[in-house]
Amino acid sequence: MLHNRIQMIISKLQPSCSFIALTMMAWLWSSRVVPRVSGCDGFDGLFQPNWAPEHLECEGDQTKLTLDSSSGCGFGSRKTYLFGLTSVQIKLVQGDSAGTVTAFYMSSDGPNHDELDFEFLGNQSGEPYLVQTNVYVDGMGDREQRPSLWFDPTTDFHTYSLFWNRRFIMFLVDGIPVRVFTNKEESHGMPYPKSQPMRVRGSVWNADDWATQGGRLKTNWSHAPFVSSFRSFNIDACELSPATDDIATKCGQLGQYWWDKPSFNEVGRRWSRQLTWARKKHLVYDYCEDKLRFTELPKECAD
């Protein structure tokens, strides 16, 4: 099948090229959806600061987010999106990053929001980063999984991607899935994010009350400023203007876009094998296995 052929291409690519292989799917299936790519020069056209704009700086093709003792910072996309694929390359805070969090995520507006999170939890020099993924539906989160990474994310840029359709959400690192969240609304009665358009967001902030070793390691402000660098933003998704576009008309027709094609009804065999490898070798924490935290495991944890 074409899907399996493309997965084979992804497995042979260098990490920095993995998103290119993913966007090939869109080109092969639909000429109407064109990936939107923004370097530093186009950042203002695609995004806007959410807070502390003085802590965001463009340098070459990079957008640098800075945390110091006065503030962190964050940005969000000007448009909202419902389903599709979004990606960015990030080089994380170097050295002693304990207490800091760098985030790449999608989130809708309002208190009962939907959200898909990559949160990179800093650590002492020489200790590995952990990645916390989370899924919020109607304002309810507490669905954390924490994989480690198989590389040092502070020495070079790596690609982090969120794939989202009506059937599943996939978190990818350099094209390798580290988590899949499946729509179990019909089978388990568990809500699934499918009706709230989200903005693409990024941020860096101080979270030393919980981020590193449960809050035991605090941010060492003598090592500030803490800088994470973002580049190569890609958004290939159903774009909405919240004030004017009708969701059902523009994004709700099944089969309208490449991510709704039958090949994406479920995770393919190659990605399933990669996910099994990532979970076996790198998964540190899974809320679905935390029986001390939950007297009754959440519904979506059932097979």
Side-chain angles (χ1 to χ4, degrees):
M1 293 177 61
L2 182 58
H3 189 192
N4 291 333
R5 288 173 59 194
I6 296 172
Q7 288 178 319
M8 293 178 65
I9 293 171
I10 293 173
S11 70
K12 296 176 182 178
L13 289 171
Q14 296 296 322
S16 62
C17 298
S18 59
F19 184 79
I20 297 174
L22 287 170
T23 55
M24 282 173 60
M25 302 175 192
W27 179 82
L28 285 164
W29 277 309
S30 173
S31 61
R32 294 176 299 165
V33 182
V34 179
R36 297 187 60 183
V37 182
S38 175
C40 194
D41 291 341
F43 181 86
D44 289 341
L46 196 58
F47 298 100
Q48 59 188 356
N50 287 338
W51 48 293
E54 69 278 5
H55 282 63
L56 279 80
E57 180 183 5
C58 275
E59 185 176 300
D61 66 345
Q62 302 173 24
T63 301
K64 296 191 173 185
L65 279 63
T66 298
L67 166 69
D68 59 26
S69 58
S70 66
S71 180
C73 61
F75 63 83
S77 60
R78 296 179 182 274
K79 298 289 184 68
T80 60
Y81 306 90
L82 189 70
F83 306 129
L85 180 69
T86 183
S87 179
V88 70
Q89 292 186 345
I90 306 174
K91 183 164 68 173
L92 296 173
V93 175
Q94 295 181 321
D96 183 0
S97 57
T100 71
V101 172
T102 300
F104 165 60
Y105 61 112
M106 297 183 70
S107 179
S108 61
D109 300 325
N112 297 321
H113 69 291
D114 295 342
E115 184 170 325
L116 315 175
D117 289 340
F118 271 115
E119 293 179 317
F120 303 92
L121 312 183
N123 215 333
Q124 288 180 313
S125 298
E127 295 296 321
Y129 264 83
L130 287 180
V131 182
Q132 177 164 285
T133 64
N134 205 348
V135 177
Y136 284 75
V137 187
D138 294 332
M140 299 294 293
D142 295 333
R143 300 181 178 91
E144 301 93 345
Q145 288 185 3
R146 290 184 178 183
S148 63
L149 295 170
W150 48 95
F151 52 82
D152 183 348
T154 71
T155 59
D156 202 355
F157 285 89
H158 291 267
T159 304
Y160 306 94
S161 307
L162 292 165
F163 173 85
W164 171 35
N165 69 9
R166 291 173 174 80
R167 299 169 184 88
F168 62 91
I169 297 159
M170 186 160 54
F171 298 75
L172 301 108
V173 176
D174 285 338
I176 295 174
V178 296
R179 179 178 186 174
V180 171
F181 184 83
T182 303
N183 185 346
K184 297 183 178 179
E185 195 164 34
E186 292 186 5
S187 60
H188 294 72
M190 187 65 216
Y192 181 83
K194 64 182 187 302
S195 59
Q196 295 192 51
M198 302 193 205
R199 299 184 191 276
V200 179
R201 305 177 191 264
S203 60
V204 59
W205 79 96
N206 178 45
D208 65 5
D209 57 332
W210 65 270
T212 306
Q213 298 184 22
R216 290 187 294 273
L217 286 182
K218 302 299 184 182
T219 304
N220 186 340
W221 294 111
S222 68
H223 294 159
F226 304 99
V227 180
S228 284
S229 300
F230 289 62
R231 73 179 188 188
S232 300
F233 300 94
N234 282 267
I235 302 174
D236 187 0
C238 184
E239 180 183 293
L240 291 161
S241 297
T244 58
D245 287 335
D246 178 73
I247 294 174
T249 301
K250 190 164 185 182
C251 303
Q253 298 179 29
L254 189 62
Q256 184 177 3
Y257 296 106
W258 63 268
W259 51 83
D260 285 328
K261 299 298 181 182
S263 294
F264 290 96
N265 285 350
E266 59 185 18
V267 178
R269 285 180 293 178
R270 181 170 295 273
W271 272 331
S272 293
R273 289 195 296 269
Q274 291 175 335
L275 177 64
T276 298
W277 171 83
R279 289 180 59 87
K280 182 178 180 180
K281 296 292 187 180
H282 295 281
L283 187 62
V284 175
Y285 174 82
D286 184 353
Y287 76 110
C288 282
E289 298 176 359
D290 195 341
K291 295 182 179 179
L292 294 177
R293 178 181 177 187
F294 300 104
T295 55
E296 181 178 350
L297 291 177
K299 293 179 180 179
E300 69 268 18
C301 294
D303 292 332

